[in-house]
Amino acid sequence: MAGPRSPAEGCSCRNTDCLERPLRRLFQGLGRCVAACPWPFVLVPLLLSGGLGAGFVFLPQRQADDIEGQFTPTWGPAKAERDFVRRYFPTNDSERFSAPRLPTEGTYAAFIAVAAGEGSVLDSAARRDLHQLDEAVRGGGRYKQLCARSGDTCADPCPEALLPLLLGDAGADAALGNLTFPVSNGSFLGAALGGVRTGAGGWVLSARALKLVYYLQEDGPAAADSRRWLEDFQQEVPSHLAALKNIQVTYFTSLSRQQEFEGNAKSVIPLFSITYFLTVTFSIVSCLRLSCVRNNVWLACCGVVSAGLAVLSSFGLMLFCGVPFVVTVGNAPFLILGVGVDDMFIMIASWEQSSRKKEKSDVKSRLAETYAEAALSVTITTLTDVLAFFIGTWTAFPSVRSFCLYTGTAFVFCYIYTLTFFGAIIVLNHKREQGNRHWLTCMPVGVGKGQAEKSCLYNACCIGSCSGESSQTESEHPMSIFFKKYYGPFFTNKWVKVLVVLLYGVYLGGSIYGCIQIREGIDLRNLASDDSYIIPYYDDEDKYFSVYGPRVMVVITESVDYWNETVRLGIENCTENLEGISYIDKNLSESWLTVYTDLAKSALININNKTIFLKNLSVLFQVVPSFEWDINKTQDRIEASRFFIQTVNVTSAVDEKNLLNQLRETAKQCSIPLMVYHPAFIYYDQYLVIVQNTIQNVAVAAGAMLVVSLLLIPSPLCCLWVTFAIASVIVGVAGFMTFWNINLDSISMINLVICIGFSVDFSAHISYAFVTSGESSANERAIEALSLLGYPVLQGAVSTILGVAVLAAAKTYIFRTFFKIMFLVILFGALHGLVFIPVFLTFFGNLGRSPHSTKSKKLEHRFRNDKDCP
């Protein structure tokens, strides 16, 4: 985890010794066991990783890239509503197709044609290109065999009133000259004609864009052939579009979103190798020494290998267990690398510190001391991290659940391999040092009189000193000196404190404002890469077709007495209430019951009689054949029926959320059993649970972190500051997500859960070092805490950021968002640990000082140059 680890120390059994002492003895025993026989602890993790890694053969079967299945709530109401519509209003797209009546999005190829320059798609030049485009799609015999049909002909790609646009001849001028908007001759044009300029009376003068949607059969044996046709079409369409000069065309198919989403994981694979290179480089630089014998380069490399083994083992185990592998899991290796390297730093630092104590020639004693110090530290923060991830599995979003399972398990393996594999590597490296062997060649290195005669370059490479004398002197790291002499005194200056308080006020104010303005829900365009062909299509759709939204089904879910006038009045009142919502245009509603009532009045039919009502429905179906598909009728009753309302001005996630809530609430209050449904509601459902799930997971995880802190940290004041830091960092990250154009969705929710564990790491150690300090004044205690832990906090932050930094270059929103939020978490966590908390602690003086602060010297010895490999 980012930031240094330290176990609580110096407290009586009534506080935490009852937990700490047995753990220390356990880890000391493990350390002696590893030191006595290191090779099994090297080989077993390698063999285990190889065995579990075989689980990757199941990767193709475990890949779960279904967008709906992974990024929508498991038990979303719209899924049950869709099942109801399918059951009571079955479709038959080979004979009676109607796009608004589909329970799904359908199988289709869509185009948005925009007139070149400032022209209009109604112009003759644009119509010629539209005709050419239409011919390219419909020209082949395969389309005619697979197209969705209404009667004996393929369903039209646009409303009937706009069909002359596809003729491409001058004879269409007269028909197009009589268009009105948004309804023309009974055809609704709002979803097909965009950028419309109208004159008096709604007559269409020009239109910038036209949407064409070619539907294919998705039911029965034709479904597979339709999919193949779309796949072939996607390969061929760019060449057709290149020949069009008077219109600019973007395209989209029912396969596009899923295919582009599935390609995301492939795009990030090259970045993983870059991450490994950066992590290895950073580890080597951090552990580089001038001595050719005591150089820790191999330790640094094996620390990265240990993290890689953890990824291999955990992923393989999860694949063996059948856990779905979703694209969000691709973020996990980047995070594990940063965390694994951090644990490596702690082990090396504790090992180096053991050499500064009284001379211990026995490697068992040294490793036991190392494990007693470092292993307990790693245990505490691993526990908090794993808790955060496994609590994150309590979510309605399968993508979040899978990510947390894979990553939480990887943290467990990372912990196990650090204490076994990496500990054994430390022992083997120590034996090399004891044999005075070169770090690279493992050849014995001679030091003495004869070496003085060698060249300075030879001695520098082989011994680390021009004089030919190997220096083993341990010294305080320059960064620790910087924090003690410069950084600490600067931030304890009273005027700087005032500035820090003002800075925190700005931070908190901006964060709260951002939280208020946060946007909810995942934008479906973000599931594709930035250079995808579907992004321009989404842009054109937003620009020209955002006024008119989904055409919503209103379903009467139970059998009611439609022939009862009171019931009909109830339905009419419910309809009026729905049409009264600001997002509904009441002039564009479509109801079979309204038409039937008007028809009965004009024909003097008494529909208050049940028999007459049911018998004369056939007359209605002759007038409007599609109404037959809106009534589920048995011989003597109507089981269910539906009508349609048109939404408008649904242009943002806030509008989508408000629309869904208002429609469902209005339907719920109706005296008639109503249900509202549209295929888009499957995705709108995320708004109902995303905030609730996020707050639930964050609150439970924060509570778990607090319990762990109270059990393992002996100072109540320290626990208070840990709690404060968790809350402050979460508010900051959530607020600044708004300023960085990140929505609160299932992807960002993952990162907010991660945020909790990182917050604990940065804050707990600084505040604990402060309250256990033996210095006399608050300022001096803050300076001491920073000198001990400032550099380890900084180093831990850098190692974690390096682990995810390459994701900033990803072309995909999912991976870029992971980097952005992790960057905010690390930035704000380090800012709290290095700036805010040290300053705030100085305002409390002796309040909450630990009774064991006299043990400061032991603490200093323990934390000095934590994670430093000088």
Side-chain angles (χ1 to χ4, degrees), residues 24 41 96 104 147 159 234 257 266 359 361 401 459 487 493 574 601 656 683 724 818 820 829:
R24 279 182 175 278
F41 291 94
R96 52 176 200 178
T104 64
C147 65
Q234 288 178 159
R257 188 187 300 124
K266 299 176 183 177
E359 189 65 29
S361 58
R401 193 179 307 126
N459 289 332
Y487 186 89
N493 179 282
C574 292
K601 288 180 181 178
E656 292 171 351
Y683 298 97
F724 161 79
F818 187 82
K820 288 180 179 180

Side-chain angles (χ1 to χ4, degrees), residues 609-845:
N609 179 278
K610 177 181 178 180
T611 304
I612 296 176
F613 186 99
L614 295 174
K615 181 179 180 181
N616 285 279
L617 283 174
S618 58
V619 178
L620 173 67
F621 300 153
Q622 291 174 4
V623 176
V624 186
S626 61
F627 281 162
E628 185 175 1
W629 313 334
D630 296 333
I631 302 173
N632 183 296
K633 184 175 76 72
T634 61
Q635 188 173 0
D636 61 346
R637 62 189 290 183
I638 296 176
E639 298 288 349
S641 71
R642 63 184 172 184
F643 54 94
F644 298 87
I645 53 178
Q646 178 62 49
T647 62
V648 292
N649 300 321
V650 184
T651 58
S652 68
V654 174
D655 293 329
E656 292 171 351
K657 177 183 178 180
N658 292 338
L659 168 68
L660 185 62
N661 286 335
Q662 291 177 29
L663 283 175
R664 285 182 174 163
E665 185 62 30
T666 304
K668 184 179 180 180
Q669 294 175 357
C670 182
S671 59
I672 304 297
L674 288 187
M675 178 187 80
V676 290
Y677 174 73
H678 186 275
F681 290 179
I682 300 288
Y683 298 97
Y684 291 5
D685 271 344
Q686 63 183 307
Y687 303 127
L688 304 181
V689 298
I690 187 68
V691 174
Q692 173 189 340
N693 264 225
T694 301
I695 293 175
Q696 168 191 301
N697 288 343
V698 168
V700 174
M705 302 307 107
L706 181 58
V707 170
V708 171
S709 300
L710 288 170
L711 287 174
L712 299 176
I713 300 177
S715 169
L717 179 63
C718 181
C719 294
L720 177 65
W721 282 111
V722 168
T723 306
F724 161 79
I726 290 174
S728 183
V729 171
I730 289 175
V731 170
V733 172
F736 278 77
M737 281 167 50
T738 302
F739 305 133
W740 215 346
N741 296 321
I742 304 173
N743 289 5
L744 178 60
D745 52 35
S746 58
I747 297 167
S748 55
M749 185 171 74
I750 292 171
N751 299 279
L752 289 177
V753 174
I754 297 173
C755 165
I756 298 169
F758 281 79
S759 304
V760 172
D761 287 351
F762 286 119
S763 59
H765 311 301
I766 290 288
S767 56
Y768 181 71
F770 178 90
V771 298
T772 56
S773 172
E775 300 295 336
S776 58
S777 70
N779 283 349
E780 290 172 347
R781 290 199 298 278
I783 292 173
E784 183 184 38
L786 286 169
S787 68
L788 296 176
L789 297 173
Y791 180 48
V793 166
L794 183 62
Q795 194 178 29
V798 172
S799 68
T800 306
I801 287 179
L802 276 179
V804 298
V806 294
L807 294 179
K811 295 181 179 181
T812 307
Y813 170 86
I814 292 175
F815 297 107
R816 226 172 24 247
T817 296
F818 187 82
F819 161 75
K820 288 180 179 180
I821 298 185
M822 286 304 304
F823 180 81
L824 291 176
V825 170
I826 301 302
L827 175 64
F828 292 153
L831 190 64
H832 279 73
L834 296 177
V835 179
F836 294 144
I837 287 181
V839 169
F840 293 161
L841 284 169
T842 62
F843 296 141
F844 292 87

Side-chain angles (χ1 to χ4, degrees), residues 261-276:
F261 175 69
E262 291 172 357
N264 286 341
K266 299 176 183 177
S267 68
V268 82
I269 290 175
L271 299 180
F272 193 66
S273 58
I274 299 175
T275 297
Y276 252 103

Side-chain angles (χ1 to χ4, degrees), residues 345-414:
F345 285 145
I346 295 163
M347 292 289 287
I348 296 177
S350 192
W351 172 260
E352 292 294 333
Q353 289 165 17
S354 69
S355 69
R356 300 185 190 122
K357 300 181 180 181
K358 62 181 181 179
E359 189 65 29
K360 287 186 172 68
S361 58
D362 182 12
V363 66
K364 295 182 182 179
S365 300
R366 281 193 63 183
L367 199 64
E369 179 69 21
T370 297
Y371 272 43
E373 301 294 335
L376 187 57
S377 303
V378 174
T379 299
I380 292 172
T381 47
T382 297
L383 178 61
T384 60
D385 297 334
V386 171
L387 274 175
F389 282 113
F390 286 137
I391 288 171
T393 61
W394 303 347
T395 177
F397 295 93
S399 59
V400 178
R401 193 179 307 126
S402 293
F403 175 85
C404 289
L405 281 173
Y406 274 89
T407 311
T409 306
F411 269 61
V412 173
F413 275 103
C414 192

Side-chain angles (χ1 to χ4, degrees), residues 29-42:
L30 177 61
R32 288 190 177 94
C33 184
V34 172
C37 194
W39 280 110
F41 291 94
V42 173

